[in-house]
Amino acid sequence: MMKRAIAILFIAGFLVPSVLFADGRKDVDSFLKTYEEFVVSCEKAAKSNDVMALVNMTSKGAELDTKLAKLQKSKHWTQKDTEKMLALTVRFTAAMQKMNSSTTSPQSF
């Protein structure tokens, strides 16, 4: 009975952290995928000069920002994740600059 309990604890000692890490890693991967989809949507809106689509995305952006703050503090966030996030943020910024320049340029009526 004691050997079985020790065996179960030994196995749990290996499996539980692996499962917890996998879930945490999945959260990070899921977030990065969702953020990339968000950036692509913003790029499409900027390309078509769809200001209303961008306005509608602001709540999604705020939600993602909150999730990012939590994930960056976790032990599952890596340097590679930071690099991917930076690359996506550069794309997002470029889309916003494109939208800004198209809405501030003089238009003929």
Side-chain angles (χ1 to χ4, degrees):
M1 181 69 166
M2 182 62 109
K3 286 182 182 181
R4 186 172 183 194
I6 292 172
I8 290 171
L9 290 174
F10 182 75
I11 291 169
F14 282 108
L15 293 179
V16 171
S18 298
V19 170
L20 292 176
F21 180 78
D23 286 344
R25 186 67 236 163
K26 286 180 185 176
D27 289 342
V28 171
D29 292 339
S30 176
F31 169 80
L32 289 171
K33 182 179 178 186
T34 300
Y35 186 67
E36 185 167 16
E37 291 167 354
F38 172 76
V39 170
V40 169
S41 295
C42 291
E43 288 171 331
K44 288 178 181 177
K47 185 176 182 179
S48 64
N49 204 18
D50 188 351
V51 176
M52 285 310 297
L54 288 173
V55 169
N56 293 333
M57 288 185 234
T58 56
S59 64
K60 180 70 172 177
E63 177 186 319
L64 289 169
D65 189 47
T66 301
K67 287 182 181 179
L68 174 62
K70 291 178 184 175
L71 287 172
Q72 284 180 321
K73 293 176 185 174
S74 81
K75 64 182 177 181
H76 307 292
W77 190 266
T78 66
Q79 180 64 33
K80 186 176 177 182
D81 299 325
T82 300
E83 292 167 4
K84 177 158 180 130
M85 188 67 196
L86 180 60
L88 291 170
T89 302
V90 167
R91 287 174 50 193
F92 173 78
T93 303
M96 295 303 98
Q97 288 174 337
K98 179 178 181 172
M99 180 61 78
N100 187 42
S101 67
S102 66
T103 58
T104 57
S105 61
Q107 298 178 1
S108 57
F109 293 98

